[in-house]
Amino acid sequence: MDLIPAPQVVLLDEAGRRFACGPGPLLDAGPGTGTVARWLRRELGAATGWELPAAAAGVSAELRLRIDPDVAGDRGPESYRIDIGPDGAELTGASAAGLFWGAQTLRQLLGPDAYRRAPLPGRTWSLPYAAVVDGPRFGWRGMMLDVARHFMPKDGVLRYIDLLAAHKLNVLHLHLTDDQGWRIEIKRHPRLTEVGGWRPRSRWGHRASPLWNETPHGGYYTQDDIREIVAYAAERHVRVVPEIDVPGHSQAAIAAYPELGNTDVVDTAALGVWDDWGITENVLAPTEAVLRFYEGVFEELLELFPAEVSPFVHVGGDECPKAQWKASAVAQERIRELGVDGEDGLQSWFIRHFDGWLAERGRRLIGWDEILEGGLADGAAVSSWRGYEGGIAAAEAGHDVVMCPEQQVYLDHRQAGGADEPMPIGYVRSLEDVYRFEPVPPKLSAEAAAHVLGAQANVWTEVMENRDRVDYQVFPRLAAFAEVVWSWQPAPGERDFAWFEGRMAAHYARLDAQGVDYRPPGGPLPRQRRPGVLGRPIDGAPPNV
C-alpha cells in the first residue's frame, strides 16, 4: 500500500478484494464529525462528483465517520482507525484531528485522481478491504515558510496549508517580518506595511551574485487575510505560528518608523527596506518606547491568532549584531540600569520581557536558539536551527524544543550536486538525506527527550522568487520529512529508503494532480533551472553539530 507517511499498522485482505464505491455513496457523520464531513464533501466531491448525502435513519451508509477517544490506545489524540470491507468504510478518530488525518489516508487509498478538482470521464472509485491503525510520533510536525524575503500571496499560503494537511503536518510557522519586508497589517502602525512592506529591488541569486531584479517587490496580508488563513488552517487542524522578529532582522520596521532604531549612532531616517540578503547591523534600540511599540504590535497579533489555534508566538531573537549597541550611549546606559551582562544580556532582556508579556496573556514564546545567549527566559521554547546543540542544551535545561537544524532540514539547501540545480544553496540534502533525519539526538536523556515537541522543515526564500521555486525546493523532500515526524521509525541507518522510494512513485502522481512543481527524481526540468545565477553551494557532508 503506497501510503505516505507510512501508517503504524496496515492489514490488507489476502484475497485483494475491493469495495466499489458506486456513483453516489451515502455519508453517515456521527457527533462531532461535521467539519471532516464538510471537507470530504468539498474535496472528494470535487474529484469524484459525489454529493455524499446524509444517510436516512435506518439506512446503511457506505462511508461512516465516528469520534471515539478509546481508539487512541497509546497513540495519542491525533490517532485514527480505518476499517474497509463489504459494507464500505468506517473512519474513527480519537479526536476531530485524528479523524481528519484518517480522511487524508482515505483520500490516498482512492488513488491520485482523488486530488483533482473535477471528475475525469469514466473514472470509477473503489477502496481495498483493509484495516489501518495509525497515530503520529510527534505533536509538532511543521514547516516554516518565509514570506518576508519573497512575499507569497494569500492564495499560495492557503494552498500550502492544504499541502501540509495532505502530508499530516500540523504546524505552519509564518516568518512575517524581516529586514526585507513587513508582511502583516498593524492598524495602529500603518507605515509598517505602507513603507515596510515594499523594497525597491531584489538581489537575483545569493548575496554574492552581481545580478539584480530591478522590479520593486512587496505585499502584505490584511488583518482579514490573516483571519482567513488562520480559520482555513484550523479547519484542517493546522496551527499557525506567527513570527515577529526582535530585536534583529528589523530594518523594514526601522525604515517605516526610524525612532525604533539606534538613532544616536545611525541616521535611521535615511534607511530604507533592505534590498539585499544576509544580516544587517540595523537592530532595534533597547528602549521602553520600542517595547511599548512592539507590545502594540503583539496586541493586534494575538487578536488575529487566537490561543486555541496559535498557543505559541515566535519572536525570532536570532542573528542580532551588537555593534550598534556597543556604540550607542543609550544602549550602554540601559545595560547599566538593568545590570545585565553586556550586549548579550540586553538581547536576553528583550526576549525575557516578551516572554513574560506573552505568558500573562496565555501564550508561549518560542524563538531561535540564539535566545539561549545571555540566559534563556524561563517559559520559552527553542527552535534549534544552528544544529542540534542548542536544542540539546535547552532540553536538558527543561525547555521545550522544536528541532530544525539547518544542516538537515533547511529546504532552501540544494537537493543534488549537479550544475543544473537552480541557485544552489548550502549542503546537498537529497530526498534520502531528509528521510534519514532524526529529530531526537541519541545523546539526550529520556527526560530531556520528552521536551522535543517535534521538528519542522524551514523554507527560507531569498532565492525563491515565486511559488514554483518554493515548490521545487520543498517537494518531494517534504514528503520524506512528513514520514520522519509522523511515522515511528528505526534508527536513521536502518530505515528502508528503497521502500519509501517505491511508494513515492504513487506519491508523485498525487503531487501532479495537485499541481505541485516538484523536483523530478532525474533532476530539474529545463524551465526549473536558473543558469548563470550565483548560489552558495557548500561541498562535503554537513557537520553533525
Side-chain angles (χ1 to χ4, degrees), residues 89 150 232 260 341 364 376 463 504:
H150 278 103
Y232 192 89
L260 297 175
D341 185 16
R364 291 192 62 192
L376 184 60
V463 297
M504 278 301 299

Side-chain angles (χ1 to χ4, degrees), residues 1 3 7 9-22 25 40 44 50 61-65 80-92 101-111 125-133:
M1 200 176 281
L3 298 174
V9 178
V10 178
L11 300 175
L12 289 172
D13 178 63
E14 293 182 356
R17 291 175 294 176
R18 300 183 68 88
F19 173 76
C21 299
L40 285 169
L44 288 190
W50 298 341
E62 293 92 336
L63 182 57
R64 303 174 294 281
L65 306 180
Y80 67 89
R81 180 184 179 99
I82 301 177
D83 293 287
I84 305 169
D87 59 348
E90 182 159 311
L91 280 64
T92 306
W101 306 131
Q104 296 291 346
T105 298
L106 182 79
R107 193 181 196 182
Q108 289 197 15
L109 290 171
L110 283 167
W125 303 92
S126 66
L127 291 163
Y129 285 17
V132 180
V133 181

Side-chain angles (χ1 to χ4, degrees), residues 364-386:
R364 291 192 62 192
L365 177 146
I366 186 168
W368 303 111
D369 55 55
E370 284 94 332
I371 67 174
L372 292 162
E373 299 167 5
L376 184 60
D378 292 340
V382 170
S383 301
S384 189
W385 77 273
R386 290 180 294 181

Side-chain angles (χ1 to χ4, degrees), residues 356-421:
W357 191 92
L358 289 166
E360 289 173 359
R361 290 155 180 80
R363 305 301 179 95
R364 291 192 62 192
L365 177 146
I366 186 168
W368 303 111
D369 55 55
E370 284 94 332
I371 67 174
L372 292 162
E373 299 167 5
L376 184 60
D378 292 340
V382 170
S383 301
S384 189
W385 77 273
R386 290 180 294 181
Y388 287 106
E389 286 303 319
I392 291 170
E396 294 285 7
H399 295 279
D400 287 341
V401 174
V402 175
M403 287 294 186
C404 47
E406 64 169 328
Q407 303 87 351
Q408 312 297 328
V409 288
Y410 267 32
L411 299 186
D412 49 315
H413 283 210
R414 57 194 173 131
Q415 303 186 62
D420 287 336
E421 291 302 312

Side-chain angles (χ1 to χ4, degrees), residues 32 92 130 332 507:
T92 306
Q332 293 303 309
H507 201 67

Side-chain angles (χ1 to χ4, degrees), residues 55-289:
V59 176
S60 178
E62 293 92 336
L63 182 57
R64 303 174 294 281
L65 306 180
R66 300 289 184 266
I67 292 178
D68 180 2
D70 291 340
V71 81
D74 60 356
R75 289 177 296 275
E78 293 184 272
S79 59
Y80 67 89
R81 180 184 179 99
I82 301 177
D83 293 287
I84 305 169
D87 59 348
E90 182 159 311
L91 280 64
T92 306
S95 64
L99 183 67
F100 182 71
W101 306 131
Q104 296 291 346
T105 298
L106 182 79
R107 193 181 196 182
Q108 289 197 15
L109 290 171
L110 283 167
D113 290 340
Y115 291 84
R116 297 192 178 277
R117 293 299 179 199
L120 296 179
R123 181 71 162 84
T124 60
W125 303 92
S126 66
L127 291 163
Y129 285 17
V132 180
V133 181
D134 199 13
R137 180 185 178 191
F138 293 106
W140 187 300
R141 309 180 301 278
M143 188 186 90
M144 188 226 70
L145 180 60
D146 170 16
V147 296
R149 272 53 175 269
H150 278 103
F151 177 65
M152 180 177 285
K154 179 194 68 179
D155 285 353
V157 176
L158 299 179
R159 172 178 176 266
Y160 258 86
I161 291 169
D162 280 327
L163 289 170
L164 294 183
H167 292 81
K168 299 186 175 73
L169 298 173
N170 68 344
V171 175
L172 173 62
H173 169 177
L174 277 181
H175 184 76
L176 290 165
T177 72
D178 215 297
D179 300 307
Q180 297 86 0
W182 185 285
R183 305 294 178 216
I184 180 169
E185 178 188 26
I186 303 297
K187 291 186 180 294
R188 72 188 72 183
H189 302 307
R191 286 175 59 83
L192 286 172
T193 47
E194 291 171 1
V195 174
W198 304 89
R199 64 175 179 265
R201 62 176 186 167
S202 305
R203 189 177 293 276
W204 181 229
H206 181 254
R207 59 181 176 268
S209 170
L211 304 176
W212 291 88
N213 181 342
E214 298 291 345
T215 304
H217 179 83
Y220 64 92
Y221 309 110
T222 68
Q223 294 200 352
D224 283 343
D225 290 339
I226 292 293
R227 291 186 181 97
E228 180 182 355
I229 288 168
V230 170
Y232 192 89
E235 187 178 8
R236 289 150 182 81
H237 299 279
V238 174
R239 302 196 306 272
V240 183
V241 176
E243 181 183 355
I244 303 293
D245 219 330
V246 297
H249 287 290
S250 298
Q251 186 165 322
I254 296 168
Y257 292 94
E259 65 270 22
L260 297 175
N262 295 282
T263 57
D264 60 338
V265 294
V266 176
D267 180 10
T268 56
L271 294 176
V273 177
W274 207 27
D275 58 8
D276 210 346
W277 317 129
I279 304 171
T280 175
E281 296 285 340
N282 295 300
V283 302
L284 297 176
T287 66
E288 291 296 324

